[in-house]
Each structure stands twice: as structure tokens, then as C-alpha cells.
Amino acid sequence: MAVDPMKTLGQDTPRVDAYERVTGRATYNRDIKLPGMLYARVLRSTVPHAMVRRIDTSKAEALPGVRAVMTHETHKIPYGSGSISGGRQYSDPHKDITTRLRYTFNEHVRYVGEPVAAVAAVNRHIAEEALQLIEIEYDELPFVMDVEEAVAAGAPEIWEGGNIAHDSENRQQPIGGQTGDLQAGFSEADQIFEERFTTAFIQDAQLEPRSSLAHWEGDKLILHTPTQGVSNCRHDTARDLGLEDHQVQVVCKYMGGGFGDKNGNYYFDLIAAAFARDLGVPVMVELSRKDDWLGTHGRWHTVQDYRVGVKDDGTVTAIEVNGKSGMGPYLRRSGNVSGMDVYACENTSKAILPVHTNRMVSGNFRAPAYPQGYFAISSMMDDVAYKMGVDPVQFALKNMVRPTETKQFTNYALDQCIAMGAEQFDWQRRWNPNPGSAEGPIKRGAGMSFMMFNARLGASSAIVRAASGGRYTVYVGVTDIGPGAKTTMSMLAAETLDVPLSSVDIVWGDSDRCPYSVGESGSRCTTMTGFAVVEAARDLKRQIDERGLPTGDDVLIASATPAPSTNGKLREGFGAHFAEVEVDTQLGDVRVTKYLTVHESGRILNPLPALDQIRGAVIQGIGQALKEDVLYDTNTGHPLMTGYYFARHLTHLDVPEIENTFIETDDGYGPYGAKTVGESGIIIAPATIANAVYNAIGVRMKDLPITRDKILEAVA
Amino acid sequence: MKDSTNGDLSRREFIGGTGAAIVAVNATTATAQDRDAAEARAIAEVPRTRIEITVNGQRQSVDVEDRWTLVELLRDHLGLTGTRIGCNRGECGACTVLIDDEPAYACSTLAVWADGRSIRTVEGVERDGKVSTLQQAFIEHNAPQCGFCTSGQLMSATALLERNPSPTAQEIREALSGNLCRCSNYNAIVEAVQAAVKMGGA
């Protein structure tokens, strides 16, 4: 199913703000200066678990240039209105009933890096100096860093009632559920396989260290902060401070990297707001790189135990997973693990326990529950395929999910992605049917994996305006975190209005000037906010057709808040990845020599940045597969890496060229059939690399990241 | 304003009550005037040095605090915020500028060390009000995603093409290896530099 060419959509289009981004003119949060602005810094806990016995700020307060010091004794501000933030996408009732309240400063500190005090001063040097003058005594408590130990009998209690995280009704129970009949599925099986997989914590590590600039106009808070969702950040902040939404304005024009965990507010937004309110001047809270590393979030680490039943003909009859996700001491996001539904097998059981530890807090990172889930289930199935003597591609085609009477898709392209990828990659030639059999110290191998990812529809708003002279303005609450949302929204309006892109202006990143947007997370911005732009533009075009273009100072305005649905059908994007690696069995290095992807993401609205969303996400996923981790000294509870250097992020020298093909379709839903692109590329990259490493060395690597030491141990 | 009783203290009370904490802090200095005088004295006591520095072709004499880094001088005191700070400790390369045509991390260079040197930043790359060839290639090839590393990547690439007008892809990767891109848009950045080479250089 191909798509018809369009005038604006589908054309490679440089981003509408590319000029600002390449000339340094784009204003990121720390570039903003307001008259009389103070700088604030946050002091953090140096112990993993303790009660603050005494905190003495007198010396810091006496330092000339210090204007205020804040601690749990002076300010008790709930953060995330309990434990979960993320605006209207999370239920407000839960925030009212939660029994595990988190504050901006907690007397009971639960991880190294937890905020314990903040200082506002006339410049950042004085603020930093003052932090060192704050004296704190802790009554240290036993701590726990491992998810298994955290739920064992006698473990230190991070929260009263035990270390299993609460769900939205304050219950401690696993995420998941059953489909079909698991026992019948295992009875039907000729062979049953069991395996344990683990994945590491991955810091989002956005390049822009976070900051928040607050000032007040009377009872109204104006907050400049790097957020993926001005609307959700406003709602969170208002709730936490006991304000109405309209009393908070959130502004974010540019921000240096999103990756999922910024669609809400942060504690430093509340610190900035409180300082600014108290002192009557603008206050900018700045996080250092180390602050940002310790004091924000990353992908939750997991332990996953799989059990799979297979018939002799290679049909999977039962899948069971029991797992634990490490959430750190506060629950910010779900802790779920995904991937099982890409298989046709109907007899399944999933039980994932989100567990508190005294590590840094986990949160969302690009496809939050997916890469770690797909790594485990795809490695498991790859292993089963080899053990059953089946080519992994054939095993995939046999067991992948397919449309059925009860499982209908708006369109389906998984088989096509796998087949096209295998052909383009030359799977038969590159794949070694006898893993690890290659001669010599450098062993070559190939691996593959396949995925689907929900291309959700849902409510979002947009306003489109026509003015005289043929100028059009789109008002959308997006911030353009990197994928090019401002450009996509402008292109959707231009196409729908049938006008040149150059006649469309955009107003963005300001909760006072733009209507509600779900924000840029969950790959929903184009499908939801983009659909609202199309609906509003259609309405405006009808108005123009009826009344003509406005003249003089007159304007025509249309708004839309559509909430489309797929009438029970599944709407998914599909993909298949293929990788070839060379493993140096003497040094333990893994070099990716070829990486090829095929994605079906509906109609591709702007091919230029869409390609780079896939390529960048794949490279992040390769980093997750081979390098990234946050290691802890388990004796002290301190992390061993607090920035880029030891975390081994990939550089220009480490990355292969990623080849991608989009299979374009229009399923009749979403904006001109567009689906999701932003997260799709990362989902199966770790799995694909791990499967290729297996094919090269003949040993299954079950623990991410697959670092040199693990390779050397495996081949020793 | 609504009242919420989620917590030991209602949030409305909290917002109303925070002023008390500030009164306590301010009480440690007798008056605002005394406070301002003490602050002015403290800031005046910080060792300072006058340096001669050329920034984007303009020679200037600047009084700098000895503790300022070059990126601090550029961003906070010369208004050149196009140079970004990603780590402030020599790990990421977002702050890369050219010092006498060589790329350097401005976060790891003290401002006083730049005395007598010539600095180029992203703001100095445009010529006659037009973007450079590299900037044009960065636009056309989508080199920025979030854009936060872009200034640094661009400055490293500018230095490379000025000393080697026709680098190989591997030479480009090596020259830019000190510039992290967490969006991992590495493929596009290298393609943009290659396109600039074809278009005639930096």
C-alpha cells in the first residue's frame, strides 16, 4: 500500500527553526536573563538512606551575597503532588489519595543526590560557595541497592509497609495480567525453556543541564523551564503549589534534549517558584552536570525471568514473565516491561513488580517500557529458535502477531518489514547457522529482531488563524525537543489550507498563548496535536471558502480539540532491525559493521528529520546494548559515574551508518495516516545487537550492557 | 486559589507562609543597605585581571574575575550565549570555541588564559550577514536535533575544514569525536560536513 504524493507533506523539509539552531540564536533556558535575577543551587544528600538529624544553614546565610536558604524545615512543598507527576495524563484522584508523599526536600532522605537544601544568591559562585557552608548531620539507616534484596524478608524499609511500589490505589501488586490459558499452553508444548535476563539503569543524560527560572506577577507564576510539555508542566506545578492552572504560565522555547522524562514538572521548578515568591525577584535554579545526573531520572533497570513453551513445529504455545523493575526510592513512572504482544501466542502471563531501592529515581526514557522488555523477550525467542533448529527469521514469521477476528489492526505490515529487511540485509549470506563457529579471534555474526509500537490517537488542541495578506498562524503547545514538531505542525497546516509553508507562522512553547497539547512524549505529538492542527485548518479553510480571506485588521480563527478513536482496532507502527557485528574475542570489543532497519510508521510527513529520529534512536539503543550503565559502590550507596565520562556514551567514532527504509501507508486514521516515529527506532536495537553477538560468539549474553568484561568471560 | 489538604500543611498555607522564612534570613543583616554594601565588598575582593582579547574579530579589553572560565566570560559578560554549557567539565564539547583557530573547550579554559588570544564563537561564523557554507549544510542536512551540541559540532567542523578542505568521513569523525550528541544524530552531522566539503568548504 503506497501513499499518494502531496504538495508539502512527504517532501524533505529543513526545520523551520534550523537557522536559529545553527547560528546560536536559539534561546535555551539558561540564556534568559531577567533584571535583578538571582541564581540558586541545590545541595544534595551524600548518604543513600538517613534521617536528617540537624541542618545548620547559619553560616551560609551569613555569606555576603546569599539572599535565602531553603530546607525541609522552612519549606514543605509536595512534589508531583505525591509521587507521580506528568500533568493531566496521570490521574488527579491518585495524587489525592497517595500515602507516599514526596516533597521537594525530605527529612527522610532515600538516595545519594536527594535534595536537602537550596541557596539563592546574587551570583552562581556565591551560591556554590554557600552550599559548602551548610552543615548537616544524618542519622544513617541501612540501605538496599538491589531489587531482589529490596523485597527479601528483613530488607531495610525505604517506605513504611515495604519496598514494593504502590499502584494508583495504594496497593502493592504486580503490573501485568493473563491472557488465554497459560497452563494449557504449557501442556500443549513439546519443550519448555527458561531464562533470566537483566537490564541496566540508563540515564537520559540530555546534553542541556536542567534549570528553572521563576518570577511572579502578583498571584501569577511565570516559569521558564525546559519541558517536553508546557501544558502538563503547568498543571503539575499549579497542583503542587495549590494554584489554579491559569495562575501558572510555563514557557519553553528551546530545550536541549527530551527523551521522555520531561513531560511534567520537576522539584527545581518548585524551588525556583518558592524562592521567587519569597524574595520578590526572578530566581534561576541551575543544576550542574552532576546534579542533573543524580537528581533527575533514567530508564528503570530490570530483572526478567522468562518461561516459554514451544511445539516441535516451532509454534510458541505459552509465554510467562515474572520480573522486577528498580524504581529508586520514589515512583515517578510505571516500571512496566513490554514486548510480549508482538507474538501471536495467546496464552501469556506477565507480572512485573516495581520495587523501591536506594538508587537514583527511575523515570521515562524513550519508549519507557520497551527496549529492556524487547531485549529480554527477543533474546529469549532467538535462543528458542536456535535450540529448535529454526532460522530466527523463519521463527519470527511463524510466531509474530497477526490480525485475527478478535485482534484487528487499522493496517498490518509486520510481515512486510521482516521480509523486506531480510532481503535488503542479505540475511541468508550474513547469518551464520552455526553460532560462534567462525575462525580466528575476530568473530562475525548477524542478528535480527522485530517490533510494534502503539500509534495512539487522543485528545489535543490547536488553533489556526488567517490574517490579511495571506498569513496564517498555528498555535500549538509543543516545544520541539528535536524531532521537528514545529515544522511538522506548520506543514500539516500548509497542506490542509493548500498554501505554501512559507506563509505559515507558528506560536509554540507557551502555555498562555497555546492551547492544551499532550506534549512531546509517547510518540503522540504528531498523531494527537497534529490531528488537531488538521481539524482546525479544515475548519478555517471552510470559513475562508465561505467568507473569503480576511482584509485589513480582520482575522479568521478556528480551533479544534478532536478526540478520535480507532473503534477498537489496534493502531500500531511496525519494524524489523538487522545487525552485523564483529566481536574481538581477545579484547572483548563489539563493532557494529552493518545496521539496517525497515519501519512502517504510516505516512512519513517530513522524511528528512524522520530518518534521523530512527537513526538517532538506533544509536542510543546500541549504547544501551553495549556501553551504558550507572554502576554503584554497594558498600557506600554512591554511584560510580555522575556524568558522561565514565558512562561511556557513544561518540562519532563509535557509531555505524544506519540504513533505513520506511514502508509508507495511509490507514485512514491520524493526520493523513501518520503514525509514530520518535520512539520506534530504539525499541529493538539492544535486542538486535545482542542477537548478533550471540550469532558471532555462540554464547547468549543475558545481561545488559554487553561490556568487554562480560564478552571475555563468556568466551574464556 | 483552591485549598488542597494533600500533606501535613495545606498548600495554600504554604504559599502564604513562606514569607516568614525569608524574614528570618533577612534579619541576619541589619538593613538592605548594609547587606548590599557587604555584597559589594565581597564581590570587590574577588581577584580580577584585565585581559586583552579578540572576540569574533573585535579586539577588547575586559576586566575579568580570575575564577571565570572563558565560557562564563562569553555567555554572562559578553552576551554570546550561542556557546552552550553541557557539562562544565570537559566531557561533552558543547562549549567548543576556536582559540587562535584551534578548537578548545571554553568550560575548561580560564578567561585569563585567553589574554592576547583570538576567540571565534558560533556568532562569528556568519559572513556578511549570511550563514557559512557549513551552517547552510547543517540546515539542509538536519544536523541539529535538539540543537544543544550544534554550536560545538559546528566550531570543530569549521576548524577541520579550514585546515583540511577535503577530509574523509573518518577524518571528520575523528575531528568531531570530542563533541557528544545525545540525540545521537551523528550520521546526519557527518553527512552535513561532507556536503559542506562538496559545496566548497567551511
Side-chain angles (χ1 to χ4, degrees), chain A residues 28 76 124-125 239-240, chain B residues 6 8 11 18 72 76 146:
Chain A
Y28 294 84
K76 197 162 189 183
R124 51 170 77 84
H125 291 284
R239 230 192 114 78
D240 287 345
Chain B
N6 185 357
D8 305 347
R11 281 180 225 135
T18 48
E72 200 175 345
D76 296 341
C146 80

Side-chain angles (χ1 to χ4, degrees), chain B residues 65-145:
Chain B
E65 291 187 10
D66 289 0
R67 63 188 175 184
W68 287 353
T69 59
L70 177 58
V71 72
E72 200 175 345
L73 170 65
L74 293 169
R75 287 179 51 83
D76 296 341
H77 306 284
L78 301 181
L80 299 172
T81 53
T83 303
R84 318 294 183 192
I85 299 175
C87 67
N88 217 18
R89 56 192 204 186
E91 293 176 352
C92 77
C95 65
T96 303
V97 297
L98 303 189
I99 304 179
D100 293 338
D101 302 327
E102 286 292 324
Y105 289 171
C107 76
S108 304
T109 306
L110 285 175
V112 291
W113 296 348
D115 188 20
R117 317 288 290 274
S118 175
I119 313 298
R120 255 192 295 163
T121 71
V122 65
E123 290 90 349
V125 169
E126 286 169 78
R127 294 192 189 111
D128 309 323
K130 288 171 73 176
V131 293
S132 70
T133 308
L134 259 172
Q135 285 174 314
Q136 186 59 35
F138 268 48
I139 291 172
E140 289 172 12
H141 291 266
N142 197 45
Q145 280 196 24

